Amino acid sequence: GAVVSQHPSRVICKSGTSVKIECRSLDFQATTMFWYRQFPKKSLMLMATSNEGSKATYEQGVEKDKFLINHASLTLSTLTVTSAHPEDSSFYICSASERGYGYTFGSGTRLTVV
Amino acid sequence: QKEVEQNSGPLSVPEGAIASLNCTYSDRGSQSFFWYRQYSGKSPELIMSIYSNGDKEDGRFTAQLNKASQYVSLLIRDSQPSDSATYLCAVNLDGNQFYFGTGTSLTVIP
């Protein structure tokens, strides 16, 4: 089945620094990938839709200048949290879909900003 | 109106019982339906997909779809403590965009 790899699984960074998270589809091409954020005991919140070769589509309330998304190839999307602050600490999850066959999620990245 | 609605629970069932999870959706054009399980601190994992009306069984799991009533459910037979997790319903409209419910928390009591 479809496999989505996400890296790193856990990162701790200092306030004000930037963190890059990678999401790769390993055995299929994904023209679209999705980035979610999940706070403890809360549901998934879609942040943005990453489109290969074009700009990402951000959900309302998500700052595109803070959460930079690059989808330069059919198998890789990156999310960069710029100038991270403690309130950005969360569980970030990417996903991709083989058309119509459901989402496959990456293993997630636990970001802690200190 | 939310696209996909689930009762957030928590739902508690004794070990060995049947757990019933329900999901309703608003768009009649929805084409495919999925159930995901998410353990605390982990990513969701796909457990069932269903595309046509009726029941689909996979081991202890049965997905039920009723497009006329716009609901999809998941039954877990012989529930085990390891089934304790949050279950997310997802609905696909056009092959690309998926909508998730907020999830139902299930606890199976030994």
Side-chain angles (χ1 to χ4, degrees):
Chain A
V3 178
V4 174
S5 173
Q6 186 173 343
H7 178 80
S9 59
R10 189 180 297 268
V11 59
I12 301 172
C13 71
K14 290 184 177 180
S15 187
T17 62
S18 295
V19 173
K20 180 184 284 188
I21 304 170
E22 291 188 348
C23 181
R24 294 180 185 274
S25 57
L26 296 187
D27 51 0
F28 66 101
Q29 293 182 332
T31 55
T32 304
M33 291 185 177
F34 303 88
W35 288 97
Y36 291 84
R37 181 167 53 184
Q38 188 175 37
F39 293 105
K41 300 187 185 299
K42 300 294 183 184
S43 66
L44 293 170
M45 288 176 46
L46 179 64
M47 298 175 65
T49 302
S50 170
N51 304 298
E52 188 269 336
S54 64
K55 292 182 179 180
T57 304
Y58 290 82
E59 295 299 302
Q60 190 173 6
V62 178
E63 299 174 59
K64 61 181 180 181
D65 294 330
K66 180 168 185 61
F67 299 100
L68 300 179
I69 291 173
N70 184 283
H71 194 154
S73 77
L74 287 171
T75 59
L76 173 65
S77 175
T78 60
L79 168 69
T80 301
V81 183
T82 63
S83 186
H85 290 284
E87 57 265 31
D88 298 324
S89 299
S90 187
F91 191 45
Y92 292 86
I93 312 172
C94 71
S95 72
S97 172
E98 288 192 90
R99 191 169 181 84
Y101 291 100
Y103 275 20
T104 298
F105 288 89
S107 55
T109 299
R110 177 78 57 194
L111 171 63
T112 303
V113 185
V114 298
Chain B
Q1 183 183 0
K2 292 182 180 178
E3 299 284 350
V4 180
E5 296 208 37
Q6 293 180 253
N7 187 327
S8 61
L11 173 66
S12 294
V13 299
E15 184 174 357
I18 296 175
S20 177
L21 305 162
N22 298 310
C23 172
T24 58
Y25 59 95
S26 60
D27 197 315
R28 287 192 174 274
S30 300
Q31 299 176 9
S32 45
F33 309 84
F34 307 88
W35 282 99
Y36 290 82
R37 177 176 62 199
Q38 185 177 23
Y39 291 113
S40 180
K42 302 294 184 182
S43 283
E45 56 179 324
L46 180 65
I47 54 174
M48 288 286 285
S49 60
I50 187 166
Y51 304 96
S52 55
N53 278 328
D55 294 0
K56 179 181 177 183
E57 187 174 319
D58 183 0
R60 295 187 296 111
F61 299 98
T62 299
Q64 299 174 319
L65 175 61
N66 184 321
K67 290 188 177 181
S69 300
Q70 295 177 237
Y71 82 78
V72 56
S73 61
L74 179 70
L75 301 178
I76 306 174
R77 291 182 300 281
D78 188 23
S79 295
Q80 301 297 308
S82 58
D83 295 326
S84 298
T86 296
Y87 289 81
L88 299 166
C89 170
V91 173
N92 175 231
L93 281 176
D94 58 4
N96 208 27
Q97 178 64 280
F98 288 77
Y99 295 91
F100 282 88
T102 54
T104 298
S105 174
L106 172 66
T107 299
V108 180
I109 303 168

Coordinates of all heavy atoms in Angstrom, one line a residue, chain B residues 10-102:
Chain B
P10 N -16.8 10.7 25.1 CA -16.2 9.3 24.9 C -17.2 8.2 24.9 O -18.2 8.3 25.6 CB -15.2 9.2 26.1 CG -15.8 10.1 27.1 CD -16.5 11.2 26.4
L11 N -16.9 7.2 24.1 CA -17.8 6.0 24.1 C -17.0 4.9 24.9 O -15.9 4.6 24.6 CB -18.0 5.6 22.6 CG -18.7 4.3 22.4 CD1 -20.2 4.3 22.9 CD2 -18.7 3.9 20.9
S12 N -17.7 4.3 25.8 CA -17.1 3.3 26.6 C -17.9 2.0 26.4 O -19.1 2.0 26.5 CB -17.1 3.6 28.1 OG -16.2 4.7 28.3
V13 N -17.2 0.9 26.1 CA -17.8 -0.4 26.0 C -17.0 -1.4 26.8 O -15.8 -1.3 26.9 CB -18.0 -0.8 24.5 CG1 -18.8 0.1 23.8 CG2 -16.6 -1.1 23.9
P14 N -17.6 -2.5 27.3 CA -16.9 -3.5 28.0 C -16.2 -4.4 27.0 O -16.6 -4.5 25.8 CB -17.9 -4.3 28.8 CG -19.2 -4.0 28.0 CD -19.1 -2.7 27.4
E15 N -15.1 -5.0 27.4 CA -14.4 -5.9 26.6 C -15.3 -7.0 26.1 O -16.1 -7.6 26.8 CB -13.2 -6.5 27.3 CG -12.3 -7.4 26.5 CD -11.0 -7.9 27.3 OE1 -10.9 -7.4 28.4 OE2 -10.3 -8.6 26.7
G16 N -15.2 -7.3 24.8 CA -16.0 -8.4 24.2 C -17.3 -7.9 23.6 O -18.0 -8.6 22.8
A17 N -17.7 -6.6 23.9 CA -18.9 -6.1 23.4 C -18.7 -5.5 22.0 O -17.6 -5.5 21.4 CB -19.4 -5.0 24.3
I18 N -19.8 -5.1 21.4 CA -19.8 -4.4 20.1 C -19.7 -2.9 20.3 O -20.6 -2.4 21.0 CB -21.0 -4.8 19.2 CG1 -21.0 -6.3 18.9 CG2 -21.0 -4.0 17.9 CD1 -22.2 -6.8 18.1
A19 N -18.8 -2.3 19.7 CA -18.7 -0.8 19.7 C -19.2 -0.3 18.4 O -18.9 -0.8 17.3 CB -17.2 -0.4 19.8
S20 N -20.1 0.7 18.4 CA -20.8 1.2 17.3 C -20.4 2.7 17.2 O -20.7 3.5 18.0 CB -22.3 1.0 17.4 OG -22.9 1.6 16.2
L21 N -19.8 3.0 16.1 CA -19.4 4.4 15.8 C -20.1 5.0 14.6 O -20.2 4.3 13.6 CB -17.9 4.5 15.6 CG -17.0 3.8 16.7 CD1 -15.6 3.5 16.2 CD2 -17.0 4.8 17.9
N22 N -20.6 6.2 14.7 CA -21.5 6.7 13.7 C -20.9 8.0 13.1 O -20.2 8.8 13.8 CB -22.9 6.9 14.2 CG -23.5 5.7 14.6 OD1 -23.5 4.7 13.9 ND2 -24.0 5.6 15.8
C23 N -21.3 8.3 11.9 CA -20.8 9.5 11.2 C -21.8 9.9 10.2 O -22.4 9.0 9.4 CB -19.4 9.1 10.5 SG -18.8 10.3 9.4
T24 N -22.1 11.2 10.1 CA -23.0 11.7 9.1 C -22.3 12.7 8.2 O -21.3 13.3 8.7 CB -24.3 12.3 9.7 OG1 -23.9 13.4 10.6 CG2 -25.1 11.3 10.5
Y25 N -22.7 12.9 7.0 CA -22.1 13.8 6.1 C -23.1 14.6 5.4 O -24.3 14.2 5.2 CB -21.1 13.1 5.1 CG -21.8 12.1 4.3 CD1 -22.3 12.4 3.0 CD2 -22.0 10.7 4.7 CE1 -22.9 11.4 2.2 CE2 -22.6 9.8 3.9 CZ -23.0 10.1 2.7 OH -23.6 9.2 1.9
S26 N -22.7 15.8 4.9 CA -23.7 16.7 4.4 C -23.8 16.7 2.9 O -24.9 17.1 2.3 CB -23.4 18.1 4.9 OG -22.1 18.5 4.4
D27 N -22.8 16.3 2.2 CA -22.8 16.4 0.7 C -23.2 15.1 0.0 O -22.5 14.1 0.1 CB -21.4 16.9 0.2 CG -21.5 17.4 -1.2 OD1 -22.2 16.7 -2.1 OD2 -20.9 18.4 -1.5
R28 N -24.3 15.1 -0.7 CA -24.8 13.9 -1.3 C -23.9 13.4 -2.4 O -24.0 12.3 -2.9 CB -26.2 14.1 -1.8 CG -27.3 14.2 -0.8 CD -28.7 14.1 -1.4 NE -29.7 14.1 -0.3 CZ -30.1 12.9 0.3 NH1 -29.6 11.8 -0.1 NH2 -31.0 12.9 1.2
G29 N -23.1 14.3 -2.9 CA -22.1 13.9 -3.9 C -20.9 13.1 -3.4 O -20.1 12.8 -4.2
S30 N -20.8 12.9 -2.1 CA -19.7 12.2 -1.6 C -19.6 10.8 -2.2 O -20.6 10.1 -2.4 CB -19.8 12.1 -0.1 OG -19.9 13.4 0.5
Q31 N -18.4 10.4 -2.5 CA -18.2 9.2 -3.3 C -17.6 8.1 -2.5 O -17.8 6.9 -2.8 CB -17.3 9.5 -4.5 CG -17.9 10.5 -5.4 CD -16.9 10.9 -6.5 OE1 -15.9 10.3 -6.7 NE2 -17.2 11.9 -7.3
S32 N -16.7 8.4 -1.6 CA -16.0 7.3 -0.9 C -15.8 7.7 0.6 O -15.8 8.9 0.9 CB -14.7 7.0 -1.5 OG -13.9 8.2 -1.8
F33 N -15.7 6.7 1.4 CA -15.8 6.9 2.9 C -14.7 6.1 3.6 O -14.5 4.9 3.2 CB -17.2 6.6 3.3 CG -18.3 7.2 2.5 CD1 -18.7 6.7 1.3 CD2 -18.8 8.4 3.0 CE1 -19.7 7.4 0.6 CE2 -19.8 9.1 2.2 CZ -20.2 8.6 1.0
F34 N -14.2 6.6 4.6 CA -13.0 6.0 5.2 C -13.1 6.1 6.8 O -13.6 7.1 7.3 CB -11.7 6.6 4.8 CG -11.6 6.6 3.3 CD1 -12.1 7.7 2.6 CD2 -11.0 5.6 2.6 CE1 -12.0 7.8 1.2 CE2 -10.9 5.7 1.2 CZ -11.4 6.7 0.5
W35 N -12.7 5.1 7.4 CA -12.5 5.1 8.9 C -11.0 5.0 9.2 O -10.3 4.1 8.7 CB -13.3 4.0 9.5 CG -14.8 4.3 9.6 CD1 -15.7 3.8 8.8 CD2 -15.4 5.1 10.6 NE1 -17.0 4.3 9.2 CE2 -16.8 5.1 10.3 CE3 -15.0 5.8 11.7 CZ2 -17.7 5.7 11.1 CZ3 -15.9 6.5 12.5 CH2 -17.3 6.5 12.2
Y36 N -10.6 5.9 10.1 CA -9.2 5.9 10.5 C -9.2 5.7 12.1 O -10.1 6.2 12.8 CB -8.5 7.2 10.2 CG -8.2 7.4 8.8 CD1 -9.2 7.9 7.9 CD2 -7.0 7.1 8.2 CE1 -8.9 8.1 6.6 CE2 -6.7 7.3 6.9 CZ -7.7 7.8 6.1 OH -7.4 8.0 4.7
R37 N -8.2 5.1 12.5 CA -7.9 4.9 14.0 C -6.7 5.7 14.3 O -5.7 5.6 13.7 CB -7.8 3.4 14.3 CG -7.5 3.1 15.8 CD -7.4 1.6 16.0 NE -6.3 1.0 15.2 CZ -6.2 -0.3 15.0 NH1 -7.2 -1.1 15.4 NH2 -5.2 -0.7 14.3
Q38 N -6.8 6.4 15.4 CA -5.6 7.2 15.9 C -5.4 6.9 17.4 O -6.3 7.3 18.2 CB -5.8 8.7 15.6 CG -4.6 9.5 16.0 CD -4.8 11.0 15.7 OE1 -5.9 11.5 15.6 NE2 -3.6 11.7 15.5
Y39 N -4.3 6.4 17.6 CA -3.9 6.2 19.0 C -3.2 7.5 19.5 O -2.7 8.3 18.7 CB -2.8 5.1 19.2 CG -3.4 3.7 18.9 CD1 -3.1 2.9 17.8 CD2 -4.4 3.1 19.8 CE1 -3.6 1.7 17.6 CE2 -4.9 1.9 19.5 CZ -4.5 1.2 18.4 OH -5.0 -0.1 18.2
S40 N -3.3 7.7 20.8 CA -2.8 9.0 21.4 C -1.3 9.2 21.0 O -0.5 8.3 21.2 CB -2.9 8.9 22.9 OG -2.5 10.1 23.5
G41 N -1.0 10.3 20.5 CA 0.3 10.7 20.1 C 0.8 10.1 18.8 O 2.0 10.2 18.4
K42 N -0.1 9.4 18.1 CA 0.3 8.8 16.8 C -0.5 9.3 15.7 O -1.5 10.0 15.9 CB 0.1 7.2 16.9 CG 0.9 6.6 18.0 CD 2.3 6.6 17.7 CE 3.1 5.8 18.8 NZ 4.6 5.9 18.6
S43 N -0.1 9.1 14.4 CA -0.8 9.5 13.3 C -2.0 8.6 13.0 O -2.0 7.4 13.5 CB 0.1 9.4 12.0 OG 0.9 10.5 12.0
P44 N -3.0 9.1 12.3 CA -4.2 8.2 12.0 C -3.7 7.1 11.0 O -2.8 7.3 10.2 CB -5.1 9.1 11.3 CG -4.7 10.5 11.8 CD -3.2 10.4 11.9
E45 N -4.3 5.9 11.2 CA -4.1 4.8 10.2 C -5.4 4.4 9.7 O -6.4 4.3 10.4 CB -3.4 3.7 10.9 CG -4.1 3.1 12.2 CD -3.4 2.0 12.8 OE1 -2.8 1.2 12.1 OE2 -3.4 1.9 14.0
L46 N -5.4 4.1 8.4 CA -6.6 3.7 7.7 C -7.0 2.2 8.1 O -6.2 1.3 8.1 CB -6.4 3.7 6.2 CG -7.6 3.3 5.3 CD1 -8.8 4.3 5.5 CD2 -7.2 3.2 3.9
I47 N -8.2 2.1 8.5 CA -8.7 0.7 8.9 C -9.8 0.2 8.0 O -9.9 -1.0 7.8 CB -9.1 0.6 10.4 CG1 -10.2 1.7 10.7 CG2 -8.0 0.7 11.3 CD1 -10.8 1.5 12.1
M48 N -10.6 1.1 7.4 CA -11.7 0.6 6.5 C -12.0 1.7 5.5 O -11.9 2.8 5.7 CB -12.9 0.3 7.3 CG -12.9 -0.9 8.2 SD -13.0 -2.4 7.2 CE -14.7 -2.4 6.8
S49 N -12.3 1.2 4.3 CA -12.9 2.1 3.3 C -14.1 1.4 2.7 O -14.2 0.2 2.7 CB -11.9 2.3 2.1 OG -11.5 1.1 1.5
I50 N -15.1 2.3 2.3 CA -16.3 1.7 1.7 C -16.8 2.7 0.7 O -16.7 3.9 0.8 CB -17.4 1.5 2.8 CG1 -18.6 0.8 2.3 CG2 -17.7 2.8 3.6 CD1 -19.5 0.2 3.3
Y51 N -17.3 2.1 -0.4 CA -17.6 3.0 -1.6 C -19.1 2.8 -2.0 O -19.6 3.7 -2.7 CB -16.7 2.6 -2.8 CG -15.3 2.8 -2.4 CD1 -14.5 1.6 -2.1 CD2 -14.6 4.0 -2.5 CE1 -13.2 1.7 -1.8 CE2 -13.3 4.1 -2.2 CZ -12.6 3.0 -1.8 OH -11.2 3.1 -1.5
S52 N -19.7 1.7 -1.6 CA -21.1 1.5 -2.1 C -22.0 1.2 -0.9 O -21.5 0.7 0.2 CB -21.1 0.4 -3.1 OG -20.5 -0.8 -2.6
N53 N -23.3 1.4 -1.1 CA -24.2 1.1 0.0 C -24.1 -0.4 0.5 O -23.9 -1.3 -0.3 CB -25.6 1.3 -0.5 CG -26.0 2.8 -0.5 OD1 -25.6 3.5 0.4 ND2 -26.8 3.2 -1.4
G54 N -24.3 -0.5 1.8 CA -24.3 -1.8 2.4 C -23.2 -2.0 3.4 O -22.7 -1.0 3.9
D55 N -22.9 -3.2 3.7 CA -21.9 -3.6 4.7 C -20.6 -4.1 4.0 O -20.7 -4.7 3.0 CB -22.5 -4.7 5.6 CG -23.6 -4.2 6.4 OD1 -24.0 -3.0 6.3 OD2 -24.2 -5.0 7.2
K56 N -19.5 -3.7 4.7 CA -18.2 -4.3 4.3 C -17.5 -4.8 5.5 O -17.4 -4.0 6.5 CB -17.4 -3.2 3.6 CG -16.0 -3.7 3.1 CD -15.3 -2.6 2.5 CE -13.9 -3.1 2.1 NZ -13.1 -2.0 1.5
E57 N -17.1 -6.0 5.5 CA -16.6 -6.6 6.7 C -15.1 -6.9 6.5 O -14.7 -7.4 5.4 CB -17.3 -7.9 7.0 CG -16.9 -8.6 8.3 CD -17.8 -9.8 8.7 OE1 -19.0 -9.7 8.4 OE2 -17.2 -10.8 9.1
D58 N -14.3 -6.7 7.5 CA -12.9 -7.0 7.5 C -12.5 -7.4 8.9 O -12.3 -6.5 9.8 CB -12.1 -5.8 7.0 CG -10.6 -6.1 6.9 OD1 -10.2 -7.2 7.2 OD2 -9.8 -5.2 6.5
G59 N -12.4 -8.7 9.1 CA -12.1 -9.2 10.5 C -13.2 -8.8 11.5 O -14.4 -9.0 11.3
R60 N -12.8 -8.1 12.5 CA -13.7 -7.7 13.5 C -14.4 -6.4 13.2 O -15.3 -5.9 13.9 CB -13.0 -7.5 14.9 CG -12.5 -8.8 15.4 CD -11.9 -8.7 16.9 NE -10.8 -7.8 16.9 CZ -10.8 -6.6 17.5 NH1 -11.9 -6.1 18.0 NH2 -9.7 -5.8 17.5
F61 N -14.0 -5.8 12.1 CA -14.6 -4.5 11.7 C -15.6 -4.6 10.6 O -15.4 -5.4 9.7 CB -13.5 -3.5 11.2 CG -12.4 -3.2 12.2 CD1 -11.2 -3.9 12.3 CD2 -12.7 -2.3 13.2 CE1 -10.3 -3.6 13.2 CE2 -11.7 -2.0 14.2 CZ -10.5 -2.7 14.2
T62 N -16.7 -3.9 10.7 CA -17.7 -3.8 9.7 C -18.1 -2.4 9.5 O -18.4 -1.7 10.4 CB -19.0 -4.6 10.0 OG1 -18.7 -6.0 10.2 CG2 -20.0 -4.5 8.9
A63 N -17.9 -1.9 8.2 CA -18.3 -0.6 7.8 C -19.7 -0.7 7.2 O -20.0 -1.6 6.4 CB -17.3 0.1 6.9
Q64 N -20.6 0.3 7.5 CA -21.9 0.3 6.9 C -22.1 1.7 6.3 O -21.9 2.7 6.9 CB -23.0 0.0 8.0 CG -22.8 -1.3 8.7 CD -23.8 -1.5 9.8 OE1 -24.0 -0.5 10.6 NE2 -24.4 -2.7 10.0
L65 N -22.6 1.6 5.1 CA -22.9 2.9 4.4 C -24.3 3.0 3.9 O -24.8 2.0 3.3 CB -21.9 3.0 3.1 CG -22.2 4.2 2.2 CD1 -21.9 5.5 2.9 CD2 -21.2 4.1 1.0
N66 N -24.9 4.1 4.2 CA -26.3 4.4 3.7 C -26.3 5.7 3.1 O -26.4 6.8 3.8 CB -27.3 4.3 4.9 CG -28.7 4.4 4.4 OD1 -29.0 5.2 3.5 ND2 -29.6 3.7 5.0
K67 N -26.2 5.8 1.8 CA -26.1 7.1 1.1 C -27.4 7.8 1.1 O -27.4 9.1 1.1 CB -25.6 6.9 -0.4 CG -24.2 6.4 -0.5 CD -23.7 6.4 -1.9 CE -22.3 6.0 -2.1 NZ -21.8 6.0 -3.5
A68 N -28.5 7.1 1.1 CA -29.8 7.8 1.2 C -29.9 8.6 2.5 O -30.4 9.7 2.5 CB -30.9 6.8 1.0
S69 N -29.5 8.0 3.5 CA -29.6 8.7 4.8 C -28.3 9.5 5.2 O -28.2 10.1 6.2 CB -29.8 7.7 5.9 OG -31.1 7.0 5.7
Q70 N -27.3 9.3 4.3 CA -26.0 10.1 4.5 C -25.3 9.8 5.8 O -25.0 10.7 6.5 CB -26.3 11.6 4.3 CG -26.7 11.9 2.9 CD -27.0 13.4 2.7 OE1 -28.1 13.8 2.3 NE2 -26.1 14.3 3.0
Y71 N -25.2 8.5 6.0 CA -24.4 8.1 7.2 C -23.6 6.9 6.9 O -23.9 6.1 6.0 CB -25.3 7.9 8.5 CG -25.9 6.5 8.5 CD1 -25.2 5.4 9.0 CD2 -27.3 6.3 8.3 CE1 -25.8 4.1 9.1 CE2 -27.9 5.1 8.4 CZ -27.1 4.0 8.7 OH -27.7 2.8 8.8
V72 N -22.5 6.9 7.6 CA -21.6 5.7 7.6 C -21.2 5.4 9.0 O -21.0 6.2 9.8 CB -20.3 6.0 6.7 CG1 -19.6 7.3 7.2 CG2 -19.4 4.8 6.6
S73 N -21.2 4.1 9.3 CA -20.9 3.6 10.6 C -19.8 2.6 10.6 O -19.5 2.0 9.6 CB -22.2 3.1 11.3 OG -22.6 2.0 10.6
L74 N -19.2 2.4 11.8 CA -18.2 1.4 12.0 C -18.6 0.5 13.2 O -18.8 1.1 14.3 CB -16.8 2.0 12.2 CG -15.7 1.0 12.4 CD1 -15.4 0.3 11.1 CD2 -14.4 1.8 12.9
L75 N -18.6 -0.7 13.0 CA -18.9 -1.7 14.1 C -17.6 -2.4 14.4 O -17.0 -2.9 13.5 CB -20.0 -2.7 13.8 CG -21.4 -2.1 13.4 CD1 -22.4 -3.2 13.0 CD2 -21.9 -1.3 14.5
I76 N -17.3 -2.5 15.7 CA -16.2 -3.3 16.1 C -16.7 -4.4 17.0 O -17.2 -4.2 18.1 CB -15.1 -2.4 16.9 CG1 -14.7 -1.2 16.1 CG2 -13.9 -3.3 17.2 CD1 -13.8 -0.2 16.8
R77 N -16.6 -5.6 16.5 CA -17.0 -6.8 17.3 C -16.0 -7.3 18.2 O -14.8 -7.1 18.0 CB -17.5 -7.9 16.4 CG -18.7 -7.6 15.5 CD -19.1 -8.9 14.7 NE -18.0 -9.2 13.7 CZ -17.8 -8.5 12.6 NH1 -18.5 -7.5 12.3 NH2 -16.8 -8.8 11.8
D78 N -16.4 -7.9 19.3 CA -15.5 -8.5 20.3 C -14.4 -7.4 20.6 O -13.2 -7.7 20.5 CB -14.8 -9.7 19.7 CG -13.9 -10.5 20.7 OD1 -14.2 -10.3 21.9 OD2 -13.0 -11.2 20.3
S79 N -14.8 -6.3 21.1 CA -13.9 -5.2 21.3 C -12.8 -5.6 22.3 O -13.1 -6.3 23.3 CB -14.7 -4.0 21.9 OG -15.6 -3.5 21.0
Q80 N -11.7 -5.1 22.1 CA -10.5 -5.4 22.9 C -9.9 -4.0 23.5 O -10.1 -3.0 22.8 CB -9.4 -6.0 22.1 CG -9.8 -7.3 21.4 CD -10.2 -8.4 22.5 OE1 -9.4 -8.7 23.4 NE2 -11.4 -9.0 22.3
P81 N -9.3 -4.1 24.6 CA -8.7 -2.9 25.1 C -7.8 -2.2 24.1 O -7.7 -1.0 24.1 CB -7.9 -3.4 26.4 CG -8.7 -4.6 26.8 CD -9.2 -5.2 25.5
S82 N -7.1 -3.0 23.3 CA -6.3 -2.4 22.3 C -7.0 -1.6 21.2 O -6.4 -0.9 20.4 CB -5.4 -3.5 21.6 OG -6.3 -4.4 21.0
D83 N -8.3 -1.7 21.2 CA -9.1 -0.9 20.2 C -9.4 0.5 20.8 O -9.9 1.3 20.1 CB -10.5 -1.6 20.0 CG -10.4 -2.9 19.3 OD1 -9.5 -3.1 18.4 OD2 -11.2 -3.8 19.6
S84 N -9.0 0.7 22.0 CA -9.2 2.1 22.6 C -8.4 3.1 21.8 O -7.1 3.0 21.8 CB -8.8 2.0 24.1 OG -9.6 1.1 24.8
A85 N -9.1 4.0 21.2 CA -8.4 5.0 20.4 C -9.5 6.0 20.0 O -10.6 5.9 20.3 CB -7.8 4.3 19.1
T86 N -9.0 7.0 19.2 CA -10.0 7.9 18.5 C -10.2 7.4 17.1 O -9.3 7.1 16.4 CB -9.4 9.3 18.6 OG1 -9.3 9.8 19.9 CG2 -10.4 10.3 17.8
Y87 N -11.5 7.4 16.7 CA -11.8 6.9 15.4 C -12.3 8.1 14.5 O -13.3 8.8 14.9 CB -12.9 5.8 15.4 CG -12.2 4.5 16.0 CD1 -12.1 4.4 17.4 CD2 -11.8 3.5 15.2 CE1 -11.5 3.2 17.9 CE2 -11.2 2.4 15.7 CZ -11.0 2.2 17.0 OH -10.4 1.1 17.5
L88 N -11.7 8.3 13.4 CA -12.0 9.4 12.5 C -12.7 8.9 11.3 O -12.3 8.0 10.7 CB -10.7 10.1 12.1 CG -9.8 10.7 13.2 CD1 -8.5 11.1 12.7 CD2 -10.5 12.0 13.8
C89 N -13.8 9.6 11.0 CA -14.5 9.3 9.7 C -14.0 10.3 8.7 O -13.9 11.5 9.0 CB -16.0 9.5 10.0 SG -17.1 9.5 8.6
A90 N -13.8 9.9 7.5 CA -13.4 10.8 6.4 C -14.3 10.6 5.2 O -14.6 9.4 4.9 CB -11.9 10.6 6.1
V91 N -14.6 11.6 4.5 CA -15.5 11.5 3.3 C -14.8 12.2 2.2 O -14.2 13.3 2.3 CB -16.8 12.3 3.6 CG1 -17.7 12.3 2.4 CG2 -17.6 11.5 4.7
N92 N -14.8 11.6 1.0 CA -14.2 12.1 -0.2 C -15.2 12.5 -1.2 O -16.1 11.8 -1.5 CB -13.3 11.0 -0.8 CG -12.7 11.4 -2.1 OD1 -12.7 10.7 -3.1 ND2 -12.1 12.6 -2.1
L93 N -15.1 13.8 -1.6 CA -16.1 14.3 -2.6 C -15.7 14.1 -4.0 O -16.5 13.7 -4.8 CB -16.3 15.8 -2.3 CG -17.1 16.2 -1.1 CD1 -17.1 17.7 -0.9 CD2 -18.5 15.7 -1.3
D94 N -14.5 14.5 -4.3 CA -14.2 14.6 -5.8 C -12.8 13.9 -6.1 O -12.2 14.2 -7.1 CB -14.1 16.1 -6.2 CG -13.0 16.8 -5.4 OD1 -12.4 16.2 -4.5 OD2 -12.9 18.1 -5.5
G95 N -12.5 13.0 -5.3 CA -11.2 12.2 -5.6 C -10.0 12.9 -5.0 O -9.0 12.2 -4.9
N96 N -10.1 14.1 -4.6 CA -8.9 14.8 -4.0 C -9.1 15.3 -2.6 O -8.3 15.1 -1.7 CB -8.5 15.9 -5.0 CG -7.0 16.1 -4.9 OD1 -6.2 15.2 -4.6 ND2 -6.6 17.3 -5.2
Q97 N -10.2 16.1 -2.5 CA -10.4 16.7 -1.2 C -11.2 15.8 -0.2 O -12.2 15.2 -0.6 CB -11.2 18.0 -1.4 CG -11.6 18.7 -0.1 CD -10.3 19.2 0.6 OE1 -9.7 18.5 1.3 NE2 -10.0 20.5 0.5
F98 N -10.6 15.6 0.9 CA -11.2 14.8 2.0 C -11.7 15.7 3.1 O -11.0 16.7 3.4 CB -10.2 13.8 2.5 CG -9.9 12.7 1.5 CD1 -9.1 12.9 0.4 CD2 -10.5 11.4 1.7 CE1 -8.9 11.9 -0.4 CE2 -10.2 10.4 0.9 CZ -9.4 10.6 -0.2
Y99 N -12.7 15.3 3.7 CA -13.2 16.0 4.9 C -13.3 15.0 6.1 O -13.8 13.9 6.0 CB -14.6 16.6 4.7 CG -14.6 17.7 3.6 CD1 -14.8 17.3 2.3 CD2 -14.4 19.0 4.0 CE1 -14.8 18.3 1.3 CE2 -14.4 20.0 3.0 CZ -14.6 19.6 1.7 OH -14.6 20.6 0.7
F100 N -12.7 15.5 7.2 CA -12.6 14.6 8.4 C -13.7 15.1 9.4 O -13.9 16.3 9.6 CB -11.3 14.7 9.0 CG -10.2 13.8 8.3 CD1 -9.5 14.4 7.2 CD2 -10.0 12.5 8.7 CE1 -8.6 13.6 6.6 CE2 -9.1 11.8 8.0 CZ -8.3 12.3 7.0
G101 N -14.2 14.1 10.1 CA -15.0 14.4 11.3 C -14.0 14.7 12.4 O -12.8 14.5 12.3
T102 N -14.5 15.1 13.6 CA -13.7 15.5 14.7 C -13.2 14.3 15.5 O -12.4 14.4 16.4 CB -14.4 16.4 15.6 OG1 -15.6 15.9 16.0 CG2 -14.6 17.8 14.9

